[in-house]
């Protein structure tokens, strides 16, 4: 990697080093100390969709500024620059190689909204470079990266928040408080669901890499493949080399809320039923899925995902329902509703601001709340609403859902480590194969 020599020159001689491939970072933090006004300089890496929601939220903070937009695609950068000028009134510096962004001592925090195979490796590199990290869900592409990112957070001591923004919803916080105080009695079941009607992604053809795209850097830690015309910029979600399927893409949010409400961590067992039912295309995951997780104290959690086929009868496109011995709570990003056992509405709270729920940007007031909480963590050392140590557990549940589906049987889980105890074959997917020189390491 061409930045290695210049980077080493900029670091303190004799400092210990950590590596990803040939890229070297000092273990001692050199991030600039926040000034008296607590100003935070931000870099956005991956600027096509979710980045817009990040920028709108960052722009609400008078003492924060986006100083970099980073993406490997010139077409996306051009569109993004025009959007920035029109929306926030300025165009941040542009960089195609995120490693150069991490070299800049003026950057305090990075926001990662790249394809999922980059989330953990890039977050780890950012931590090693002394940056605080806001990483989109899921925080890892595989369980090994999950563990590695948590270890990196502990080692380098910076703030890491995952982008499951409903953790910062005032209505969800209120509901969890009520559950803990016994409003629905003993909470025993969480039901997470998501419904959409995604079209076919077709059968991709190998074509020349567009001249505007750095395909090598786009792939990064993933084993090299020829460029196909149905992967970039969005359909990578449905390819195992880069994505993690709908259970991670959207299920992370509601599974996380159910786990939070039930007060549980890793499960004892996981069972998954599902398949690819709708189109004959390159989609590599199930497109409809039902997962059941069991926990101690007779608690259980279900995930129902309909990627291609809207659920009927009519219900919100996504949400969580928590069942208790005395009542039921329904939650989504915009409301909290409490019902008694007869189904009578007892209480309703509205968020006070709208968040979009089923489009690719997902923008709304919860992004503002969640990023504000992230900044408060940086400035005042306040607790994060989705600290990576906890967020990684919800991500692990999603990994286990995919593993149970692939195993074709109920998997037994060590609730302390998340490792599968009854299927050695499926444990082979604990860690991915990395492109030579790109494997993340502490």
């Amino acid at each position: 990697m061409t930045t290695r020599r210049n980077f080493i020159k900029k670091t303190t001689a004799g400092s210990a080093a950590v590596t990803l491939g040939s890229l070297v970072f000092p273990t001692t933090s050199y991030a600039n100390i926040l000034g008296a006004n607590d100003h935070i300089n931000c870099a956005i890496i991956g600027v096509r969709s979710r980045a817009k929601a990040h920028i709108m939220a960052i722009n609400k903070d008078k003492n924060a500024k986006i100083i970099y937009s980073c993406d490997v695609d010139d077409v996306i950068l051009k569109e993004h620059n025009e959007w920035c000028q029109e929306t926030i009134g300025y165009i941040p510096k542009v960089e195609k190689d995120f490693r150069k962004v991490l070299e800049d001592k003026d950057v305090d925090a990075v926001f990662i909204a790249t394809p999922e195979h980059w989330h953990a490796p890039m977050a780890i590199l950012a931590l090693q470079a002394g940056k605080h990290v806001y990483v989109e869900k899921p925080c890892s592409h595989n369980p090994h990266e999950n563990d590695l990112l948590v270890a990196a957070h502990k080692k380098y001591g910076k703030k890491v928040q995952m982008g499951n923004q409903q953790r910062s919803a005032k209505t969800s916080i209120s509901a969890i408080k009520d559950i803990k105080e016994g409003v629905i009695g003993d909470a025993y079941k969480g039901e997470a669901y998501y419904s959409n009607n995604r079209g076919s992604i077709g059968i991709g053809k190998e074509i020349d890499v567009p001249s505007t795209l750095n395909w090598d850097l786009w792939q990064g830690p993933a084993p090299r493949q020829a460029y196909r015309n149905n992967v970039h910029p969005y359909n990578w979600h449905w390819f195992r080399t880069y994505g993690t399927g709908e259970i991670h893409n959207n299920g992370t949010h509601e599974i996380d809320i159910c786990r939070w409400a039930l007060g549980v961590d890793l499960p004892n067992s996981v069972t998954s039923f599902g398949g690819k039912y709708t189109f004959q295309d390159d989609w590599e995951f199930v497109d409809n899925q039902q997962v059941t997780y069991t926990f101690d104290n007779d608690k259980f959690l279900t995930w129902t995902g309909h990627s291609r086929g809207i659920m009927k009868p009519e219900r919100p496109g996504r949400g969580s329902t928590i069942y208790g011995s005395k009542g039921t709570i329904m939650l989504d990003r915009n409301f909290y509703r409490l019902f008694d056992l007869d189904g009578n509405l007892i209480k309703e709270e509205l968020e006070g601001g709208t968040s979009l729920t089923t489009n690719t940007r997902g923008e709304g007031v919860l992004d503002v709340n969640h990023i504000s909480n992230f900044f408060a963590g940086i400035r005042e050392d306040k607790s994060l609403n989705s600290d990576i140590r906890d967020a990684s557990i919800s991500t692990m549940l999603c990994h286990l859902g995919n593993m149970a589906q692939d195993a074709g049987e109920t998997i037994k889980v060590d609730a302390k480590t998340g490792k599968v105890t009854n299927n050695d074959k499926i444990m082979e997917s604990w860690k991915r194969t990395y492109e030579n020189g790109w494997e993340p390491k502490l």
Side-chain angles (χ1 to χ4, degrees):
M1 299 180 189
T2 57
T3 60
R4 179 176 184 267
R5 183 175 300 170
N6 291 337
F7 192 93
I8 294 174
K9 289 179 181 179
K10 296 176 184 179
T11 60
T12 304
S15 64
V18 291
T19 66
L20 183 152
S22 56
L23 186 61
V24 176
F25 289 106
T27 55
T28 53
S29 170
Y30 60 81
N32 63 306
I33 299 173
L34 295 177
N37 63 351
D38 289 342
H39 187 80
I40 299 175
N41 285 328
C42 304
I44 313 295
I45 306 176
V47 298
R48 179 176 175 268
S49 183
R50 273 297 289 160
K52 304 293 196 294
H54 292 172
I55 288 170
M56 293 296 287
I58 294 168
N59 199 50
K60 297 285 186 182
D61 190 305
K62 294 181 180 179
N63 282 330
K65 186 173 184 179
I66 300 112
I67 65 172
Y68 279 104
S69 295
C70 183
D71 203 286
V72 296
D73 190 322
D74 289 332
V75 174
I76 291 173
L77 281 168
K78 181 177 183 298
E79 178 277 329
H80 182 70
N81 288 342
E82 293 171 354
W83 180 88
C84 283
Q85 184 62 61
E86 179 181 340
T87 306
I88 63 174
Y90 68 94
I91 299 175
K93 289 184 285 186
V94 171
E95 181 56 66
K96 291 189 73 172
D97 190 332
F98 79 95
R99 295 167 294 186
K100 294 180 181 179
V101 172
L102 298 188
E103 290 176 2
D104 192 331
K105 297 179 181 180
D106 288 334
V107 174
D108 301 304
V110 299
F111 289 73
I112 300 171
T114 62
E116 291 162 1
H117 72 289
W118 257 123
H119 285 187
M122 193 175 287
I124 291 167
L125 286 173
L127 288 169
Q128 291 168 346
K131 315 302 183 186
H132 301 284
V133 176
Y134 186 105
V135 59
E136 269 303 322
K137 54 79 214 156
C139 64
S140 61
H141 179 267
N142 55 78
H144 167 73
E145 289 181 354
N146 219 44
D147 290 344
L148 202 62
L149 179 54
V150 172
H153 166 261
K154 181 178 180 180
K155 180 173 183 178
Y156 301 108
K158 295 298 179 178
K159 299 295 182 181
V160 185
Q161 177 107 300
M162 191 171 83
N164 46 335
Q165 60 269 25
Q166 195 174 333
R167 282 288 184 120
S168 292
K170 67 177 185 179
T171 51
S172 294
I173 292 170
S174 174
I176 301 305
K177 179 176 180 293
D178 285 351
I179 290 170
K180 290 181 178 178
E181 292 176 354
V183 70
I184 59 171
D186 294 327
Y188 61 87
K189 177 187 176 183
E191 181 182 73
Y193 57 90
Y194 174 82
S195 178
N196 208 333
N197 192 23
R198 301 184 186 278
S200 173
I201 65 171
I203 306 298
K205 296 180 180 179
E206 291 187 10
I207 62 173
D208 291 337
V209 178
S211 61
T212 55
L213 175 66
N214 186 334
W215 179 235
D216 184 66
L217 192 53
W218 190 99
Q219 293 180 93
R224 294 299 177 262
Q225 294 186 1
Y227 183 80
R228 286 184 286 173
N229 64 355
N230 66 341
V231 175
H232 174 71
Y234 184 79
N235 288 334
W236 53 263
H237 282 288
W238 323 121
F239 292 87
R240 289 177 181 261
T241 302
Y242 316 115
T244 52
E246 197 75 90
I247 193 171
H248 278 281
N249 182 43
N250 277 297
T252 308
H253 289 289
E254 279 70 39
I255 289 172
D256 175 67
I257 295 301
C258 288
R259 186 181 71 80
W260 185 24
L262 294 178
V264 296
D265 290 327
L266 291 171
N268 297 315
S269 71
V270 185
T271 307
S272 178
F273 295 96
K276 179 182 169 184
Y277 300 105
T278 315
F279 300 108
Q280 295 303 312
D281 59 7
D282 284 341
W283 187 297
E284 295 177 352
F285 293 92
V286 294
D287 59 18
N288 283 271
Q289 186 179 22
Q290 179 82 39
V291 185
T292 300
Y293 303 86
T294 67
F295 302 87
D296 290 337
N297 301 318
D298 292 327
K299 295 184 179 183
F300 66 108
L301 189 164
T302 64
W303 150 251
T304 302
H306 289 262
S307 298
R308 306 203 274 199
I310 300 294
M311 288 196 299
K312 299 291 182 180
E314 197 67 46
R315 70 192 296 185
R318 66 187 316 153
S320 307
T321 304
I322 313 302
Y323 296 87
S325 59
K326 297 180 181 179
T328 303
I329 283 176
M330 288 185 65
L331 288 169
D332 81 353
R333 298 180 183 184
N334 298 310
F335 66 77
Y336 152 31
R337 292 176 184 144
L338 170 66
F339 302 87
D340 64 19
L341 291 177
D342 290 323
N344 300 307
L345 181 63
I346 303 302
K347 177 181 179 180
E348 181 176 45
E349 294 181 8
L350 301 179
E351 190 61 32
T354 302
S355 291
L356 301 177
T357 59
T358 56
N359 70 350
T360 58
R361 188 178 296 184
E363 181 181 332
V365 67
L366 301 192
D367 293 305
V368 177
N369 295 348
H370 209 46
I371 288 173
S372 177
N373 171 248
F374 176 55
F375 286 161
I378 295 172
R379 290 175 174 134
E380 306 166 45
D381 199 31
K382 287 191 174 180
S383 297
L384 297 182
N385 291 340
S386 189
D387 182 277
I388 199 62
R389 291 168 295 186
D390 186 71
S392 67
I393 299 172
S394 295
T395 301
M396 188 63 218
L397 263 66
C398 299
H399 286 309
L400 290 169
N402 277 337
M403 293 168 77
Q405 178 66 37
D406 292 341
E409 66 176 358
T410 296
I411 57 175
K412 304 297 183 181
V413 179
D414 182 333
K416 293 182 179 180
T417 66
K419 293 186 176 181
V420 177
T421 60
N422 68 327
N423 191 315
D424 292 339
K425 179 67 176 176
I426 206 64
M427 275 300 294
E428 294 176 6
S429 62
W430 189 264
K431 180 181 178 181
R432 74 167 306 151
T433 298
Y434 291 92
E435 177 68 13
N436 186 37
W438 284 94
E439 181 175 343
K441 297 178 181 178
L442 296 186

